[in-house]
Amino acid sequence: MAKIIDGKTISQQIKDELKEKVAALKAEGTEIALAVIQVGTDPASTVYVGNKKKACEYVGIRSESYELPEETTQEELLQLIDTLNHKDSVYGILVQLPLPEHIQEDMVIRAIAPEKDVDGFHPQSVGALSIGQKGFVSCTPAGIIQLLKRSGVEIEGKECVVIGRSNIVGKPMALLLLRENGTVTVTHSKTKDLRSVCKRADILVVAIGKPKMIDASYVKEGAVVIDVGVHRNENRKLCGDVDFESVEPIASAITPVPGGVGPMTIAMLMYNCVQAVEIRKG
Ligand code: GUN
């Protein structure tokens, strides 16, 4: 029987800690605002953006909402970002992804001032992480490190295997585990004999994007398993990339879906907004 790593409770703890910090900053005269930009009306994005605004309200961060029509041009979006880059009251800028096809995501990410890049997607933030300098860290992998630390999982010296090499999760995850002195292997769709590589892992982070793909045959007895996937199964129920029923009996700890990694992403976005005050000070 694995210990269930409870992302709901841990994310709530983090938000409560941040709420106190935000109140203290307010008392010193610093009010944090996050600009949240959504282009178009993708229903999933609308839900995510709504949850981000709700979290802001909870911790005492002012959210400034920019809901732009689907037809917004890249030029118009870049113009708005430029205005927000120069607006002192705005500490963080978040552009919800994905963007409509006529807008180049990388151009938009690059346009955000690195000191306001609370998503941690700007090449400068990614570069800082890779050479161990201070900067914003992508929220989902940063949240996974918090889940591990706050659940008493030691990373130092452990065999860590990450499945997936996306810019948002897999790559920064590998860098963060390395920063914690883990021995890190990154696997992907071209990895040969994925099963036996995964079976080496003391800590297995799964961000593969395929529902329930990782069953017990990929997992070493006693491993810690972190599931980044979110899918709806045939009965519209949420499930992850890990086959929970198969893996839970042999893992020592595991994150559920929902209620594992998911809630941590928004908590870490709030963390980055508070961090933005420090980063602005230099
Ligand atoms: N779309 C899905 N996840 C994210 C995220 O973490 N940040 C942004 N900006 N867009 C997303």
PDB file of all heavy atoms in Angstrom, residues 45 48 52 94-98 119 121 139-140 168 265, ligand 1:
ATOM      1  N   SER A  45      -9.055  26.383 -21.333  1.00  0.00           N
ATOM      2  CA  SER A  45      -8.280  27.564 -20.917  1.00  0.00           C
ATOM      3  C   SER A  45      -9.106  28.464 -20.005  1.00  0.00           C
ATOM      4  O   SER A  45      -8.584  29.009 -19.028  1.00  0.00           O
ATOM      5  CB  SER A  45      -7.833  28.372 -22.140  1.00  0.00           C
ATOM      6  OG  SER A  45      -6.835  27.671 -22.837  1.00  0.00           O
ATOM      7  N   TYR A  48      -8.964  26.986 -16.570  1.00  0.00           N
ATOM      8  CA  TYR A  48      -7.648  27.199 -15.946  1.00  0.00           C
ATOM      9  C   TYR A  48      -7.484  28.648 -15.492  1.00  0.00           C
ATOM     10  O   TYR A  48      -7.045  28.925 -14.378  1.00  0.00           O
ATOM     11  CB  TYR A  48      -6.508  26.871 -16.926  1.00  0.00           C
ATOM     12  CG  TYR A  48      -6.306  25.382 -17.177  1.00  0.00           C
ATOM     13  CD1 TYR A  48      -6.137  24.888 -18.470  1.00  0.00           C
ATOM     14  CD2 TYR A  48      -6.230  24.479 -16.124  1.00  0.00           C
ATOM     15  CE1 TYR A  48      -5.943  23.532 -18.715  1.00  0.00           C
ATOM     16  CE2 TYR A  48      -6.037  23.125 -16.356  1.00  0.00           C
ATOM     17  CZ  TYR A  48      -5.894  22.656 -17.651  1.00  0.00           C
ATOM     18  OH  TYR A  48      -5.703  21.327 -17.880  1.00  0.00           O
ATOM     19  N   LYS A  52      -6.921  30.255 -11.776  1.00  0.00           N
ATOM     20  CA  LYS A  52      -5.757  31.094 -11.447  1.00  0.00           C
ATOM     21  C   LYS A  52      -6.228  32.395 -10.782  1.00  0.00           C
ATOM     22  O   LYS A  52      -5.647  32.845  -9.798  1.00  0.00           O
ATOM     23  CB  LYS A  52      -4.926  31.382 -12.710  1.00  0.00           C
ATOM     24  CG  LYS A  52      -4.176  30.140 -13.179  1.00  0.00           C
ATOM     25  CD  LYS A  52      -3.512  30.297 -14.535  1.00  0.00           C
ATOM     26  CE  LYS A  52      -2.929  28.945 -14.972  1.00  0.00           C
ATOM     27  NZ  LYS A  52      -2.275  28.967 -16.280  1.00  0.00           N
ATOM     28  N   LEU A  94       0.978  36.591 -17.343  1.00  0.00           N
ATOM     29  CA  LEU A  94       0.713  35.216 -17.740  1.00  0.00           C
ATOM     30  C   LEU A  94      -0.142  35.217 -19.006  1.00  0.00           C
ATOM     31  O   LEU A  94      -1.214  35.801 -19.018  1.00  0.00           O
ATOM     32  CB  LEU A  94      -0.039  34.507 -16.601  1.00  0.00           C
ATOM     33  CG  LEU A  94      -0.370  33.052 -16.875  1.00  0.00           C
ATOM     34  CD1 LEU A  94      -0.129  32.226 -15.648  1.00  0.00           C
ATOM     35  CD2 LEU A  94      -1.776  32.859 -17.370  1.00  0.00           C
ATOM     36  N   VAL A  95       0.384  34.612 -20.049  1.00  0.00           N
ATOM     37  CA  VAL A  95      -0.399  34.449 -21.280  1.00  0.00           C
ATOM     38  C   VAL A  95      -0.812  32.982 -21.337  1.00  0.00           C
ATOM     39  O   VAL A  95       0.037  32.088 -21.444  1.00  0.00           O
ATOM     40  CB  VAL A  95       0.430  34.816 -22.534  1.00  0.00           C
ATOM     41  CG1 VAL A  95      -0.423  34.650 -23.796  1.00  0.00           C
ATOM     42  CG2 VAL A  95       0.972  36.234 -22.435  1.00  0.00           C
ATOM     43  N   GLN A  96      -2.103  32.736 -21.236  1.00  0.00           N
ATOM     44  CA  GLN A  96      -2.572  31.350 -21.219  1.00  0.00           C
ATOM     45  C   GLN A  96      -2.314  30.690 -22.571  1.00  0.00           C
ATOM     46  O   GLN A  96      -2.635  31.243 -23.622  1.00  0.00           O
ATOM     47  CB  GLN A  96      -4.069  31.319 -20.858  1.00  0.00           C
ATOM     48  CG  GLN A  96      -4.647  29.930 -20.665  1.00  0.00           C
ATOM     49  CD  GLN A  96      -4.043  29.167 -19.484  1.00  0.00           C
ATOM     50  OE1 GLN A  96      -3.549  29.753 -18.533  1.00  0.00           O
ATOM     51  NE2 GLN A  96      -4.072  27.852 -19.564  1.00  0.00           N
ATOM     52  N   LEU A  97      -1.744  29.500 -22.532  1.00  0.00           N
ATOM     53  CA  LEU A  97      -1.477  28.713 -23.739  1.00  0.00           C
ATOM     54  C   LEU A  97      -2.505  27.572 -23.818  1.00  0.00           C
ATOM     55  O   LEU A  97      -3.009  27.156 -22.783  1.00  0.00           O
ATOM     56  CB  LEU A  97      -0.057  28.141 -23.694  1.00  0.00           C
ATOM     57  CG  LEU A  97       1.069  29.169 -23.498  1.00  0.00           C
ATOM     58  CD1 LEU A  97       2.410  28.450 -23.398  1.00  0.00           C
ATOM     59  CD2 LEU A  97       1.090  30.201 -24.610  1.00  0.00           C
ATOM     60  N   PRO A  98      -2.840  27.026 -24.949  1.00  0.00           N
ATOM     61  CA  PRO A  98      -2.311  27.380 -26.269  1.00  0.00           C
ATOM     62  C   PRO A  98      -2.927  28.673 -26.806  1.00  0.00           C
ATOM     63  O   PRO A  98      -4.026  29.051 -26.430  1.00  0.00           O
ATOM     64  CB  PRO A  98      -2.738  26.187 -27.123  1.00  0.00           C
ATOM     65  CG  PRO A  98      -3.980  25.666 -26.470  1.00  0.00           C
ATOM     66  CD  PRO A  98      -3.818  25.928 -25.013  1.00  0.00           C
ATOM     67  N   ASP A 119       5.440  32.350 -15.398  1.00  0.00           N
ATOM     68  CA  ASP A 119       5.295  30.977 -15.901  1.00  0.00           C
ATOM     69  C   ASP A 119       6.648  30.265 -15.998  1.00  0.00           C
ATOM     70  O   ASP A 119       6.708  29.042 -16.091  1.00  0.00           O
ATOM     71  CB  ASP A 119       4.669  30.991 -17.303  1.00  0.00           C
ATOM     72  CG  ASP A 119       3.190  30.622 -17.299  1.00  0.00           C
ATOM     73  OD1 ASP A 119       2.791  29.805 -16.452  1.00  0.00           O
ATOM     74  OD2 ASP A 119       2.457  31.153 -18.149  1.00  0.00           O
ATOM     75  N   PHE A 121       8.671  30.397 -18.570  1.00  0.00           N
ATOM     76  CA  PHE A 121       8.833  29.854 -19.922  1.00  0.00           C
ATOM     77  C   PHE A 121       9.852  30.629 -20.764  1.00  0.00           C
ATOM     78  O   PHE A 121      10.264  30.168 -21.826  1.00  0.00           O
ATOM     79  CB  PHE A 121       7.493  29.877 -20.686  1.00  0.00           C
ATOM     80  CG  PHE A 121       6.413  28.988 -20.108  1.00  0.00           C
ATOM     81  CD1 PHE A 121       5.087  29.128 -20.518  1.00  0.00           C
ATOM     82  CD2 PHE A 121       6.708  28.000 -19.181  1.00  0.00           C
ATOM     83  CE1 PHE A 121       4.082  28.306 -20.005  1.00  0.00           C
ATOM     84  CE2 PHE A 121       5.707  27.180 -18.659  1.00  0.00           C
ATOM     85  CZ  PHE A 121       4.393  27.338 -19.078  1.00  0.00           C
ATOM     86  N   CYS A 139       5.984  26.122 -13.342  1.00  0.00           N
ATOM     87  CA  CYS A 139       5.191  25.839 -12.130  1.00  0.00           C
ATOM     88  C   CYS A 139       4.964  24.347 -11.856  1.00  0.00           C
ATOM     89  O   CYS A 139       5.027  23.919 -10.700  1.00  0.00           O
ATOM     90  CB  CYS A 139       3.844  26.540 -12.234  1.00  0.00           C
ATOM     91  SG  CYS A 139       4.001  28.326 -12.380  1.00  0.00           S
ATOM     92  N   THR A 140       4.698  23.550 -12.883  1.00  0.00           N
ATOM     93  CA  THR A 140       4.390  22.134 -12.618  1.00  0.00           C
ATOM     94  C   THR A 140       5.605  21.387 -12.046  1.00  0.00           C
ATOM     95  O   THR A 140       5.496  20.758 -10.990  1.00  0.00           O
ATOM     96  CB  THR A 140       3.830  21.455 -13.886  1.00  0.00           C
ATOM     97  OG1 THR A 140       2.626  22.140 -14.244  1.00  0.00           O
ATOM     98  CG2 THR A 140       3.525  19.988 -13.664  1.00  0.00           C
ATOM     99  N   ILE A 168       8.004  22.496 -20.863  1.00  0.00           N
ATOM    100  CA  ILE A 168       7.250  22.968 -19.696  1.00  0.00           C
ATOM    101  C   ILE A 168       7.385  22.023 -18.509  1.00  0.00           C
ATOM    102  O   ILE A 168       7.394  22.440 -17.363  1.00  0.00           O
ATOM    103  CB  ILE A 168       5.759  23.164 -20.074  1.00  0.00           C
ATOM    104  CG1 ILE A 168       5.619  24.326 -21.069  1.00  0.00           C
ATOM    105  CG2 ILE A 168       4.882  23.395 -18.865  1.00  0.00           C
ATOM    106  CD1 ILE A 168       4.193  24.587 -21.537  1.00  0.00           C
ATOM    107  N   THR A 265       0.311  23.229  -9.497  1.00  0.00           N
ATOM    108  CA  THR A 265       0.730  24.156 -10.555  1.00  0.00           C
ATOM    109  C   THR A 265       0.289  25.582 -10.217  1.00  0.00           C
ATOM    110  O   THR A 265       1.082  26.532 -10.304  1.00  0.00           O
ATOM    111  CB  THR A 265       0.153  23.696 -11.913  1.00  0.00           C
ATOM    112  OG1 THR A 265       0.643  22.377 -12.158  1.00  0.00           O
ATOM    113  CG2 THR A 265       0.584  24.597 -13.048  1.00  0.00           C
TER     114      THR A 265
HETATM  115  N1  GUN B   1      -1.614  26.083 -20.547  1.00  0.00           N
HETATM  116  C1  GUN B   1      -1.540  24.892 -19.915  1.00  0.00           C
HETATM  117  N2  GUN B   1      -0.718  24.980 -18.847  1.00  0.00           N
HETATM  118  C2  GUN B   1      -0.266  26.249 -18.809  1.00  0.00           C
HETATM  119  C3  GUN B   1       0.594  26.948 -17.930  1.00  0.00           C
HETATM  120  O1  GUN B   1       1.142  26.428 -16.957  1.00  0.00           O
HETATM  121  N3  GUN B   1       0.801  28.252 -18.238  1.00  0.00           N
HETATM  122  C4  GUN B   1       0.213  28.861 -19.293  1.00  0.00           C
HETATM  123  N4  GUN B   1       0.486  30.142 -19.507  1.00  0.00           N
HETATM  124  N5  GUN B   1      -0.587  28.244 -20.121  1.00  0.00           N
HETATM  125  C5  GUN B   1      -0.834  26.937 -19.876  1.00  0.00           C
END
